[in-house]
């Protein structure tokens, strides 16, 4: 299957295994991953965030309940919320998630924003688990005809070493542990190249439940704009 489907499937497999109830997808773009996650039966709150309002607005109705879902409602409550906002801004409604996914997001940030992003994600949102995927620059020589980055909006593409250095540093700072994996394998048996897409799976070490409640009270401090809110 295409690489983006393999990335989605990686997240779905994680969700089926660990059964988080509250999942947020940062950089959700056209909501492709959310459309799949909505069928994971244990999820009760699904949130998507993107800085690009148009990308969300164009596709948000694809997350509306299908007519059969109205006719034969599920027993579980499912709320889906889509926000316009930047992942380098703190937003109280982004606290309390068990899993946060960042699929092909980080390489779209300016290098000087990465530190702020790490602080907001691991320090402030502080979810139980985080999945980060990003292109593996070590793999690029194997991609035919590629000169420069894989996409014109990429601000950087990390080697495995660079990704691991960032990941281990945030683990140290914010109390997480990380495992490295990926999707997309080489056709040839090329040593040390790694996966086409590299993935870090982070787990918070302490179960300290700081920030685990969404603070709905402090209305004034909202920095994200709610674009869509549906309850199944
Ligand atoms: N996650 C999507 C998927 O797997 O289908 C694709 C993500 S797309 C390659 C990168 C997305 O990150 C874009 O939709 C872009 O608007 C979003 N983005 C870039 N900078 C952002 C920021 N500071 N805050 C939130 N979203 C951002």
């Amino acid at each position: 299957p295409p690489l983006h489907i393999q990335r989605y499937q990686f997240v779905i497999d994680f969700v089926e295994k660990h059964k988080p109830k509250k999942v947020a997808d940062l950089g959700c773009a056209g909501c492709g991953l959310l459309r799949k996650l909505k069928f994971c039966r244990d999820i009760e709150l699904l949130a998507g965030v993107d800085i690009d309002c148009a990308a969300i607005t164009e596709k948000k109705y694809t997350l509306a309940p299908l007519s059969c879902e109205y006719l034969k409602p599920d027993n579980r409550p499912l709320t889906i919320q889509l926000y316009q906002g930047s992942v380098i801004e703190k937003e109280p409604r982004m606290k309390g998630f068990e899993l946060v996914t960042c699929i092909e997001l980080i390489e779209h940030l300016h290098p000087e924003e990465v530190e702020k992003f790490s602080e907001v994600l691991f320090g402030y949102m502080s979810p139980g688990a985080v999945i980060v995927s990003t292109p593996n620059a070590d793999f690029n020589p194997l991609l035919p005809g590629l000169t420069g980055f894989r996409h014109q909006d990429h601000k950087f593409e990390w080697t495995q070493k660079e990704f691991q250095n960032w990941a281990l540093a945030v683990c140290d700072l914010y109390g997480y542990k990380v495992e490295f994996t990926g999707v997309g394998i080489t056709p040839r048996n090329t040593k040390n190249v790694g996966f086409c897409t590299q993935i870090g799976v982070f787990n918070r070490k302490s179960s300290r439940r700081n920030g685990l409640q969404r603070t709905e009270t402090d209305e004034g401090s909202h920095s994200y704009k709610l674009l869509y809110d549906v309850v199944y």
Side-chain angles (χ1 to χ4, degrees):
L3 208 54
H4 76 279
I5 298 292
Q6 292 185 49
R7 290 192 285 260
Y8 292 171
Q9 193 58 47
F10 182 90
V11 174
I12 307 281
D13 291 344
F14 182 94
V15 167
E16 306 262 286
K17 183 165 174 210
H18 298 282
K19 307 192 185 307
K21 288 191 170 63
K22 299 180 181 188
V23 179
D25 185 32
L26 307 186
C28 64
C31 307
L33 178 59
L34 296 173
R35 265 196 299 288
K36 291 188 174 286
L37 285 173
K38 111 177 191 180
F39 295 104
C40 295
R41 314 291 293 185
D42 295 286
I43 296 180
E44 294 176 1
L45 176 63
L46 204 47
V49 178
D50 205 287
I51 202 168
D52 181 356
C53 180
I56 291 184
T57 306
E58 194 191 324
K59 293 284 175 133
K60 62 183 182 186
Y61 295 110
T62 62
L63 290 168
L66 309 166
S67 38
C68 60
E69 289 167 325
Y70 276 123
L71 293 171
K72 198 170 165 294
D74 241 327
N75 288 330
R76 62 149 179 185
L78 171 63
T79 300
I80 303 180
Q81 294 176 334
L82 301 177
Y83 296 94
Q84 181 195 18
S86 173
V87 296
I88 61 167
E89 302 278 339
K90 291 178 180 162
E91 163 55 60
R93 291 171 293 186
M94 285 295 119
K95 286 182 162 191
F97 284 87
E98 284 148 74
L99 170 66
V100 172
T101 55
C102 311
I103 305 304
E104 308 298 280
L105 164 70
I106 197 168
E107 68 278 6
H108 293 264
L109 304 177
H110 291 278
E112 62 273 17
E113 295 175 331
V114 170
E115 199 179 320
K116 182 74 190 167
F117 166 68
S118 312
E119 191 218 322
V120 169
L121 173 58
F122 295 96
Y124 177 79
M125 295 176 64
S126 190
V130 177
I131 297 176
V132 174
S133 88
T134 192
N136 166 18
D138 295 328
F139 198 95
N140 284 354
L142 299 180
L143 297 174
L146 181 74
T147 53
F149 293 146
R150 296 185 195 177
H151 190 278
Q152 57 185 23
D153 190 50
H154 288 178
K155 309 301 188 298
F156 56 85
E157 288 176 355
W158 278 337
T159 63
Q160 295 167 98
K161 188 81 200 137
E162 288 169 326
F163 180 51
Q164 289 168 15
N165 285 346
W166 167 76
L168 294 170
V170 299
C171 283
D172 223 32
L173 264 174
Y174 302 110
Y176 281 76
K177 52 186 165 38
V178 63
E179 281 172 30
F180 299 103
T181 176
V183 294
I185 48 170
T186 62
R188 289 171 269 155
N189 186 13
T190 327
K191 238 180 140 190
N192 299 332
V193 171
F195 296 93
C196 187
T197 296
Q198 49 186 343
I199 296 177
V201 179
F202 300 79
N203 278 286
R204 200 181 53 220
K205 276 189 198 157
S206 80
S207 56
R208 97 198 126 91
R209 301 178 75 80
N210 81 321
L212 260 186
Q213 288 317 312
R214 305 209 318 165
T215 31
E216 308 277 3
T217 44
D218 195 4
E219 289 293 329
S221 67
H222 288 175
S223 63
Y224 289 5
K225 184 177 167 204
L226 184 64
L227 297 177
Y228 189 64
D229 188 0
V230 63
V231 180
Y232 275 62

